[in-house]
Amino acid sequence: MKLQRKNRRALALGALAVSGALALTACGSDDTGNSNGGDASAPANASNIKCDDASGQLLSDGSSAQKNAVDAWVKQFSSACKVEINYKAGGSGAGVTAFTQGQIPWAGSDSALKPEEVEASKKVCSGGQGIDLPMVGGPIALGYNVPGVDSLVLDAPTIAKIFNDKIKNWNDPAIAKLNPDAKLPNLKIQAFHRSDESGTTDNFTKYLIATAKSDFPYEGGKAWQAKGGQSAPQSSGVAAQVKQTAGAIGYFELSYAKDGIKAAQINTGASAPVEATVDNATKAIADAKVVGTGSDLALKLNYNTKAEGAYPMVLVTYEIVCDKGNKAETLPAVKAFLRYAASEDGQKILAENDYAPMPDDIIAKVRTTVESLS
């Protein structure tokens, strides 16, 4: 979302001030990604949004991956409830830090809290701790800009070698083998990764480590570790570089694979290569397991799935909040907003904005947990 739209949107909604750039991934502070959040085709019925005693201003920060989803939620929620939501999409790392330091009552992150982050949260969650609520899913698209190539198939080892600076040209034999009908040019590959700490990077590298460890021998995490390539801040920055650079490839949420950016298909070993779509991402997320304890709903994704039509390179964005010990002045607004985001209407908006709704059994657990927040 371009910064210059921020004030315009805040005026239009009378409630939203989007500071910085993205809403969910761990990113920087200046995102110029295009958001469709304000244009959801099926507005929620305001009567379905339960505001309780929510009012005032609600500040938050976090992952840029879910920015467009948060924009859509905020538009509907703020039109029904008297709450001004200012979500500074500074990235997952920034959001978690702000949360554990008590600066914000809720954060967005593309990665579940680490043990040390849970421990730090206990200092701000009086009698409780920070928990992970999976709320937004979606495919991590591999956007590319290769002149004359309208369809591209890649597999995990090839992707790993590209981003580890081992495959350097688009007409490399490994790429040609996967694309026998494509006219691959003798063009240098320009691989772009995130310059900021990012949950998108964390999930992208988890996929590579799980499926092509020998070709991507790194520990992974929110900070990019492989050698070579070029960097750009936030998902919108990577998408912008891919769009304007011949020979470029980069990873970002599907909602940024627009305006002429094509997304590669992945050969997973299934009968046919899998496209990066909302439905295909949901199929992969449905294979995840809840590994959190108590009210924590952290998920373990199966990046190695070979199920038909399951797109394995996915991320899940968590809303991070105290299970107990929330501040009295912000609890009503946080609870009402998260209740709406997890509702049928809130989840429906995700698909309209290129995100994957949570599978039914997972979102049912989220709804129960939201109601128990105190």
mmCIF file of all heavy atoms in Angstrom, residues 51-96:
data_model
loop_
_atom_site.group_PDB
_atom_site.id
_atom_site.type_symbol
_atom_site.label_atom_id
_atom_site.label_comp_id
_atom_site.label_asym_id
_atom_site.label_seq_id
_atom_site.Cartn_x
_atom_site.Cartn_y
_atom_site.Cartn_z
ATOM 1 N N CYS A 51 -19.204 -5.544 18.652
ATOM 2 C CA CYS A 51 -18.229 -4.556 19.111
ATOM 3 C C CYS A 51 -17.990 -4.609 20.616
ATOM 4 O O CYS A 51 -16.941 -4.161 21.087
ATOM 5 C CB CYS A 51 -18.699 -3.149 18.742
ATOM 6 S SG CYS A 51 -18.905 -2.872 16.964
ATOM 7 N N ASP A 52 -18.944 -5.120 21.383
ATOM 8 C CA ASP A 52 -18.856 -5.087 22.840
ATOM 9 C C ASP A 52 -18.635 -3.642 23.291
ATOM 10 O O ASP A 52 -19.316 -2.744 22.841
ATOM 11 C CB ASP A 52 -17.746 -6.014 23.341
ATOM 12 C CG ASP A 52 -18.100 -7.482 23.179
ATOM 13 O OD1 ASP A 52 -19.302 -7.789 23.063
ATOM 14 O OD2 ASP A 52 -17.183 -8.310 23.159
ATOM 15 N N ASP A 53 -17.641 -3.431 24.144
ATOM 16 C CA ASP A 53 -17.340 -2.086 24.626
ATOM 17 C C ASP A 53 -16.131 -1.498 23.917
ATOM 18 O O ASP A 53 -15.481 -0.579 24.428
ATOM 19 C CB ASP A 53 -17.080 -2.121 26.142
ATOM 20 C CG ASP A 53 -18.301 -2.587 26.924
ATOM 21 O OD1 ASP A 53 -19.422 -2.215 26.530
ATOM 22 O OD2 ASP A 53 -18.121 -3.328 27.918
ATOM 23 N N ALA A 54 -15.805 -2.030 22.747
ATOM 24 C CA ALA A 54 -14.623 -1.573 22.022
ATOM 25 C C ALA A 54 -14.778 -0.125 21.592
ATOM 26 O O ALA A 54 -15.809 0.276 21.060
ATOM 27 C CB ALA A 54 -14.405 -2.453 20.793
ATOM 28 N N SER A 55 -13.729 0.654 21.830
ATOM 29 C CA SER A 55 -13.721 2.059 21.413
ATOM 30 C C SER A 55 -12.296 2.564 21.487
ATOM 31 O O SER A 55 -11.392 1.888 21.977
ATOM 32 C CB SER A 55 -14.634 2.897 22.322
ATOM 33 O OG SER A 55 -14.155 2.870 23.663
ATOM 34 N N GLY A 56 -12.094 3.770 20.979
ATOM 35 C CA GLY A 56 -10.789 4.399 21.073
ATOM 36 C C GLY A 56 -9.847 3.996 19.963
ATOM 37 O O GLY A 56 -10.256 3.671 18.846
ATOM 38 N N GLN A 57 -8.558 3.983 20.280
ATOM 39 C CA GLN A 57 -7.517 3.702 19.298
ATOM 40 C C GLN A 57 -6.791 2.420 19.656
ATOM 41 O O GLN A 57 -6.531 2.136 20.825
ATOM 42 C CB GLN A 57 -6.511 4.859 19.239
ATOM 43 C CG GLN A 57 -5.478 4.722 18.128
ATOM 44 C CD GLN A 57 -4.497 5.875 18.109
ATOM 45 O OE1 GLN A 57 -3.892 6.204 19.132
ATOM 46 N NE2 GLN A 57 -4.345 6.514 16.957
ATOM 47 N N LEU A 58 -6.479 1.635 18.642
ATOM 48 C CA LEU A 58 -5.776 0.379 18.844
ATOM 49 C C LEU A 58 -4.517 0.389 17.983
ATOM 50 O O LEU A 58 -4.590 0.481 16.760
ATOM 51 C CB LEU A 58 -6.673 -0.798 18.450
ATOM 52 C CG LEU A 58 -6.160 -2.210 18.759
ATOM 53 C CD1 LEU A 58 -5.966 -2.383 20.257
ATOM 54 C CD2 LEU A 58 -7.138 -3.250 18.228
ATOM 55 N N LEU A 59 -3.368 0.314 18.627
ATOM 56 C CA LEU A 59 -2.099 0.327 17.923
ATOM 57 C C LEU A 59 -1.565 -1.094 17.791
ATOM 58 O O LEU A 59 -1.700 -1.906 18.710
ATOM 59 C CB LEU A 59 -1.079 1.185 18.671
ATOM 60 C CG LEU A 59 -1.465 2.642 18.918
ATOM 61 C CD1 LEU A 59 -0.364 3.350 19.721
ATOM 62 C CD2 LEU A 59 -1.717 3.367 17.609
ATOM 63 N N SER A 60 -0.934 -1.388 16.669
ATOM 64 C CA SER A 60 -0.349 -2.706 16.470
ATOM 65 C C SER A 60 0.790 -2.609 15.469
ATOM 66 O O SER A 60 0.999 -1.572 14.837
ATOM 67 C CB SER A 60 -1.404 -3.699 15.991
ATOM 68 O OG SER A 60 -0.857 -5.000 15.914
ATOM 69 N N ASP A 61 1.513 -3.698 15.329
ATOM 70 C CA ASP A 61 2.647 -3.760 14.411
ATOM 71 C C ASP A 61 2.860 -5.219 14.041
ATOM 72 O O ASP A 61 2.377 -6.121 14.717
ATOM 73 C CB ASP A 61 3.900 -3.195 15.091
ATOM 74 C CG ASP A 61 4.997 -2.830 14.097
ATOM 75 O OD1 ASP A 61 4.819 -3.083 12.886
ATOM 76 O OD2 ASP A 61 6.036 -2.295 14.531
ATOM 77 N N GLY A 62 3.560 -5.463 12.947
ATOM 78 C CA GLY A 62 3.862 -6.844 12.611
ATOM 79 C C GLY A 62 4.059 -7.112 11.149
ATOM 80 O O GLY A 62 4.306 -6.211 10.350
ATOM 81 N N SER A 63 3.892 -8.377 10.807
ATOM 82 C CA SER A 63 4.215 -8.910 9.505
ATOM 83 C C SER A 63 3.551 -8.165 8.366
ATOM 84 O O SER A 63 2.399 -7.769 8.446
ATOM 85 C CB SER A 63 3.815 -10.379 9.468
ATOM 86 O OG SER A 63 3.510 -10.767 8.170
ATOM 87 N N SER A 64 4.305 -8.021 7.297
ATOM 88 C CA SER A 64 3.769 -7.376 6.106
ATOM 89 C C SER A 64 2.997 -8.337 5.234
ATOM 90 O O SER A 64 2.248 -7.932 4.363
ATOM 91 C CB SER A 64 4.900 -6.744 5.302
ATOM 92 O OG SER A 64 5.805 -7.734 4.887
ATOM 93 N N ALA A 65 3.154 -9.621 5.459
ATOM 94 C CA ALA A 65 2.508 -10.607 4.590
ATOM 95 C C ALA A 65 0.998 -10.475 4.644
ATOM 96 O O ALA A 65 0.321 -10.683 3.655
ATOM 97 C CB ALA A 65 2.924 -12.010 4.988
ATOM 98 N N GLN A 66 0.460 -10.122 5.806
ATOM 99 C CA GLN A 66 -0.995 -10.064 5.924
ATOM 100 C C GLN A 66 -1.529 -8.642 5.788
ATOM 101 O O GLN A 66 -2.681 -8.384 6.095
ATOM 102 C CB GLN A 66 -1.442 -10.649 7.267
ATOM 103 C CG GLN A 66 -1.142 -9.781 8.456
ATOM 104 C CD GLN A 66 -1.704 -10.323 9.768
ATOM 105 O OE1 GLN A 66 -2.307 -11.380 9.822
ATOM 106 N NE2 GLN A 66 -1.496 -9.597 10.831
ATOM 107 N N LYS A 67 -0.733 -7.739 5.308
ATOM 108 C CA LYS A 67 -1.149 -6.339 5.231
ATOM 109 C C LYS A 67 -2.485 -6.166 4.539
ATOM 110 O O LYS A 67 -3.387 -5.505 5.044
ATOM 111 C CB LYS A 67 -0.104 -5.503 4.499
ATOM 112 C CG LYS A 67 -0.621 -4.108 4.153
ATOM 113 C CD LYS A 67 0.403 -3.316 3.393
ATOM 114 C CE LYS A 67 -0.216 -2.067 2.824
ATOM 115 N NZ LYS A 67 -0.998 -1.296 3.790
ATOM 116 N N ASN A 68 -2.601 -6.754 3.360
ATOM 117 C CA ASN A 68 -3.833 -6.553 2.603
ATOM 118 C C ASN A 68 -5.032 -7.167 3.305
ATOM 119 O O ASN A 68 -6.157 -6.676 3.200
ATOM 120 C CB ASN A 68 -3.679 -7.128 1.188
ATOM 121 C CG ASN A 68 -2.594 -6.412 0.405
ATOM 122 O OD1 ASN A 68 -2.180 -5.321 0.759
ATOM 123 N ND2 ASN A 68 -2.124 -7.025 -0.658
ATOM 124 N N ALA A 69 -4.808 -8.243 4.038
ATOM 125 C CA ALA A 69 -5.888 -8.852 4.814
ATOM 126 C C ALA A 69 -6.288 -7.938 5.961
ATOM 127 O O ALA A 69 -7.476 -7.725 6.225
ATOM 128 C CB ALA A 69 -5.449 -10.212 5.355
ATOM 129 N N VAL A 70 -5.297 -7.390 6.659
ATOM 130 C CA VAL A 70 -5.592 -6.484 7.770
ATOM 131 C C VAL A 70 -6.322 -5.245 7.270
ATOM 132 O O VAL A 70 -7.270 -4.768 7.902
ATOM 133 C CB VAL A 70 -4.297 -6.093 8.508
ATOM 134 C CG1 VAL A 70 -4.565 -4.984 9.515
ATOM 135 C CG2 VAL A 70 -3.709 -7.303 9.223
ATOM 136 N N ASP A 71 -5.909 -4.725 6.133
ATOM 137 C CA ASP A 71 -6.595 -3.564 5.548
ATOM 138 C C ASP A 71 -8.080 -3.855 5.348
ATOM 139 O O ASP A 71 -8.950 -3.035 5.655
ATOM 140 C CB ASP A 71 -5.973 -3.182 4.198
ATOM 141 C CG ASP A 71 -4.640 -2.482 4.341
ATOM 142 O OD1 ASP A 71 -4.254 -2.142 5.476
ATOM 143 O OD2 ASP A 71 -3.962 -2.287 3.311
ATOM 144 N N ALA A 72 -8.360 -5.038 4.812
ATOM 145 C CA ALA A 72 -9.756 -5.411 4.548
ATOM 146 C C ALA A 72 -10.525 -5.579 5.854
ATOM 147 O O ALA A 72 -11.677 -5.135 5.972
ATOM 148 C CB ALA A 72 -9.809 -6.703 3.725
ATOM 149 N N TRP A 73 -9.917 -6.222 6.821
ATOM 150 C CA TRP A 73 -10.567 -6.396 8.128
ATOM 151 C C TRP A 73 -10.855 -5.051 8.781
ATOM 152 O O TRP A 73 -11.936 -4.816 9.302
ATOM 153 C CB TRP A 73 -9.676 -7.209 9.055
ATOM 154 C CG TRP A 73 -9.615 -8.671 8.765
ATOM 155 C CD1 TRP A 73 -10.529 -9.410 8.065
ATOM 156 C CD2 TRP A 73 -8.585 -9.572 9.181
ATOM 157 N NE1 TRP A 73 -10.133 -10.724 8.019
ATOM 158 C CE2 TRP A 73 -8.957 -10.855 8.692
ATOM 159 C CE3 TRP A 73 -7.414 -9.429 9.911
ATOM 160 C CZ2 TRP A 73 -8.161 -11.980 8.927
ATOM 161 C CZ3 TRP A 73 -6.629 -10.549 10.140
ATOM 162 C CH2 TRP A 73 -6.999 -11.809 9.657
ATOM 163 N N VAL A 74 -9.853 -4.193 8.757
ATOM 164 C CA VAL A 74 -9.992 -2.893 9.427
ATOM 165 C C VAL A 74 -11.101 -2.064 8.794
ATOM 166 O O VAL A 74 -11.876 -1.402 9.488
ATOM 167 C CB VAL A 74 -8.656 -2.122 9.395
ATOM 168 C CG1 VAL A 74 -8.851 -0.664 9.808
ATOM 169 C CG2 VAL A 74 -7.650 -2.788 10.331
ATOM 170 N N LYS A 75 -11.206 -2.114 7.478
ATOM 171 C CA LYS A 75 -12.258 -1.339 6.819
ATOM 172 C C LYS A 75 -13.631 -1.755 7.335
ATOM 173 O O LYS A 75 -14.461 -0.906 7.683
ATOM 174 C CB LYS A 75 -12.196 -1.530 5.306
ATOM 175 C CG LYS A 75 -13.322 -0.780 4.591
ATOM 176 C CD LYS A 75 -13.273 -0.963 3.094
ATOM 177 C CE LYS A 75 -14.417 -0.180 2.446
ATOM 178 N NZ LYS A 75 -14.436 -0.319 0.978
ATOM 179 N N GLN A 76 -13.873 -3.055 7.382
ATOM 180 C CA GLN A 76 -15.180 -3.540 7.815
ATOM 181 C C GLN A 76 -15.392 -3.320 9.318
ATOM 182 O O GLN A 76 -16.450 -2.864 9.744
ATOM 183 C CB GLN A 76 -15.330 -5.033 7.479
ATOM 184 C CG GLN A 76 -15.130 -5.368 6.012
ATOM 185 C CD GLN A 76 -16.112 -4.656 5.106
ATOM 186 O OE1 GLN A 76 -17.174 -4.243 5.539
ATOM 187 N NE2 GLN A 76 -15.762 -4.512 3.846
ATOM 188 N N PHE A 77 -14.381 -3.640 10.108
ATOM 189 C CA PHE A 77 -14.512 -3.545 11.557
ATOM 190 C C PHE A 77 -14.675 -2.098 12.004
ATOM 191 O O PHE A 77 -15.534 -1.782 12.847
ATOM 192 C CB PHE A 77 -13.285 -4.168 12.223
ATOM 193 C CG PHE A 77 -13.316 -4.117 13.720
ATOM 194 C CD1 PHE A 77 -14.100 -5.008 14.453
ATOM 195 C CD2 PHE A 77 -12.568 -3.186 14.415
ATOM 196 C CE1 PHE A 77 -14.131 -4.964 15.834
ATOM 197 C CE2 PHE A 77 -12.586 -3.128 15.797
ATOM 198 C CZ PHE A 77 -13.376 -4.021 16.510
ATOM 199 N N SER A 78 -13.878 -1.208 11.456
ATOM 200 C CA SER A 78 -13.919 0.185 11.885
ATOM 201 C C SER A 78 -15.181 0.905 11.437
ATOM 202 O O SER A 78 -15.559 1.906 12.020
ATOM 203 C CB SER A 78 -12.682 0.939 11.370
ATOM 204 O OG SER A 78 -11.515 0.420 11.964
ATOM 205 N N SER A 79 -15.815 0.379 10.400
ATOM 206 C CA SER A 79 -17.074 0.987 9.976
ATOM 207 C C SER A 79 -18.209 0.575 10.896
ATOM 208 O O SER A 79 -19.251 1.229 10.940
ATOM 209 C CB SER A 79 -17.400 0.572 8.534
ATOM 210 O OG SER A 79 -17.675 -0.816 8.449
ATOM 211 N N ALA A 80 -18.001 -0.511 11.644
ATOM 212 C CA ALA A 80 -19.047 -1.000 12.549
ATOM 213 C C ALA A 80 -18.785 -0.609 13.998
ATOM 214 O O ALA A 80 -19.724 -0.377 14.757
ATOM 215 C CB ALA A 80 -19.151 -2.518 12.448
ATOM 216 N N CYS A 81 -17.524 -0.534 14.375
ATOM 217 C CA CYS A 81 -17.164 -0.239 15.766
ATOM 218 C C CYS A 81 -16.378 1.067 15.838
ATOM 219 O O CYS A 81 -15.685 1.434 14.900
ATOM 220 C CB CYS A 81 -16.318 -1.376 16.341
ATOM 221 S SG CYS A 81 -17.097 -3.006 16.230
ATOM 222 N N LYS A 82 -16.472 1.737 16.930
ATOM 223 C CA LYS A 82 -15.811 3.032 17.096
ATOM 224 C C LYS A 82 -14.371 2.834 17.548
ATOM 225 O O LYS A 82 -13.963 3.239 18.631
ATOM 226 C CB LYS A 82 -16.577 3.879 18.102
ATOM 227 C CG LYS A 82 -18.001 4.209 17.670
ATOM 228 C CD LYS A 82 -18.737 5.011 18.714
ATOM 229 C CE LYS A 82 -20.164 5.328 18.264
ATOM 230 N NZ LYS A 82 -20.909 6.085 19.292
ATOM 231 N N VAL A 83 -13.599 2.181 16.689
ATOM 232 C CA VAL A 83 -12.205 1.898 17.002
ATOM 233 C C VAL A 83 -11.328 2.327 15.834
ATOM 234 O O VAL A 83 -11.579 1.956 14.687
ATOM 235 C CB VAL A 83 -11.981 0.389 17.265
ATOM 236 C CG1 VAL A 83 -10.516 0.118 17.579
ATOM 237 C CG2 VAL A 83 -12.860 -0.084 18.414
ATOM 238 N N GLU A 84 -10.317 3.123 16.127
ATOM 239 C CA GLU A 84 -9.334 3.518 15.120
ATOM 240 C C GLU A 84 -8.144 2.578 15.248
ATOM 241 O O GLU A 84 -7.489 2.522 16.290
ATOM 242 C CB GLU A 84 -8.875 4.957 15.333
ATOM 243 C CG GLU A 84 -7.809 5.397 14.338
ATOM 244 C CD GLU A 84 -7.321 6.807 14.587
ATOM 245 O OE1 GLU A 84 -7.949 7.515 15.400
ATOM 246 O OE2 GLU A 84 -6.310 7.199 13.974
ATOM 247 N N ILE A 85 -7.882 1.800 14.210
ATOM 248 C CA ILE A 85 -6.789 0.833 14.247
ATOM 249 C C ILE A 85 -5.619 1.346 13.419
ATOM 250 O O ILE A 85 -5.755 1.631 12.232
ATOM 251 C CB ILE A 85 -7.245 -0.540 13.722
ATOM 252 C CG1 ILE A 85 -8.359 -1.103 14.625
ATOM 253 C CG2 ILE A 85 -6.063 -1.506 13.667
ATOM 254 C CD1 ILE A 85 -8.884 -2.450 14.186
ATOM 255 N N ASN A 86 -4.487 1.466 14.075
ATOM 256 C CA ASN A 86 -3.258 1.895 13.409
ATOM 257 C C ASN A 86 -2.295 0.717 13.415
ATOM 258 O O ASN A 86 -1.670 0.430 14.428
ATOM 259 C CB ASN A 86 -2.655 3.093 14.151
ATOM 260 C CG ASN A 86 -1.439 3.661 13.429
ATOM 261 O OD1 ASN A 86 -0.807 2.992 12.629
ATOM 262 N ND2 ASN A 86 -1.110 4.892 13.747
ATOM 263 N N TYR A 87 -2.233 0.002 12.307
ATOM 264 C CA TYR A 87 -1.368 -1.174 12.202
ATOM 265 C C TYR A 87 -0.114 -0.796 11.433
ATOM 266 O O TYR A 87 -0.135 -0.637 10.229
ATOM 267 C CB TYR A 87 -2.111 -2.311 11.510
ATOM 268 C CG TYR A 87 -1.298 -3.589 11.426
ATOM 269 C CD1 TYR A 87 -1.319 -4.502 12.477
ATOM 270 C CD2 TYR A 87 -0.531 -3.878 10.315
ATOM 271 C CE1 TYR A 87 -0.568 -5.668 12.419
ATOM 272 C CE2 TYR A 87 0.207 -5.036 10.244
ATOM 273 C CZ TYR A 87 0.199 -5.928 11.293
ATOM 274 O OH TYR A 87 0.938 -7.076 11.220
ATOM 275 N N LYS A 88 0.983 -0.643 12.143
ATOM 276 C CA LYS A 88 2.257 -0.319 11.508
ATOM 277 C C LYS A 88 2.908 -1.611 11.069
ATOM 278 O O LYS A 88 3.383 -2.373 11.888
ATOM 279 C CB LYS A 88 3.168 0.426 12.473
ATOM 280 C CG LYS A 88 4.504 0.802 11.865
ATOM 281 C CD LYS A 88 5.404 1.476 12.882
ATOM 282 C CE LYS A 88 6.750 1.796 12.256
ATOM 283 N NZ LYS A 88 7.681 2.401 13.240
ATOM 284 N N ALA A 89 2.914 -1.870 9.790
ATOM 285 C CA ALA A 89 3.419 -3.148 9.295
ATOM 286 C C ALA A 89 4.925 -3.110 9.173
ATOM 287 O O ALA A 89 5.477 -3.157 8.094
ATOM 288 C CB ALA A 89 2.791 -3.456 7.947
ATOM 289 N N GLY A 90 5.597 -3.041 10.300
ATOM 290 C CA GLY A 90 7.046 -2.962 10.289
ATOM 291 C C GLY A 90 7.722 -4.301 10.170
ATOM 292 O O GLY A 90 8.941 -4.377 10.175
ATOM 293 N N GLY A 91 6.961 -5.382 10.107
ATOM 294 C CA GLY A 91 7.529 -6.703 9.963
ATOM 295 C C GLY A 91 7.321 -7.564 11.193
ATOM 296 O O GLY A 91 7.065 -7.072 12.289
ATOM 297 N N SER A 92 7.428 -8.870 10.997
ATOM 298 C CA SER A 92 7.209 -9.813 12.090
ATOM 299 C C SER A 92 8.151 -9.564 13.258
ATOM 300 O O SER A 92 7.750 -9.569 14.423
ATOM 301 C CB SER A 92 7.393 -11.255 11.594
ATOM 302 O OG SER A 92 6.447 -11.583 10.622
ATOM 303 N N GLY A 93 9.435 -9.348 12.946
ATOM 304 C CA GLY A 93 10.406 -9.114 14.004
ATOM 305 C C GLY A 93 10.075 -7.879 14.809
ATOM 306 O O GLY A 93 10.108 -7.889 16.048
ATOM 307 N N ALA A 94 9.727 -6.808 14.113
ATOM 308 C CA ALA A 94 9.387 -5.562 14.794
ATOM 309 C C ALA A 94 8.123 -5.724 15.622
ATOM 310 O O ALA A 94 8.011 -5.199 16.740
ATOM 311 C CB ALA A 94 9.211 -4.436 13.772
ATOM 312 N N GLY A 95 7.150 -6.458 15.082
ATOM 313 C CA GLY A 95 5.895 -6.649 15.795
ATOM 314 C C GLY A 95 6.072 -7.442 17.083
ATOM 315 O O GLY A 95 5.553 -7.065 18.133
ATOM 316 N N VAL A 96 6.823 -8.541 17.003
ATOM 317 C CA VAL A 96 7.044 -9.369 18.190
ATOM 318 C C VAL A 96 7.812 -8.588 19.248
ATOM 319 O O VAL A 96 7.497 -8.640 20.441
ATOM 320 C CB VAL A 96 7.790 -10.669 17.818
ATOM 321 C CG1 VAL A 96 8.228 -11.415 19.080
ATOM 322 C CG2 VAL A 96 6.902 -11.563 16.967
#
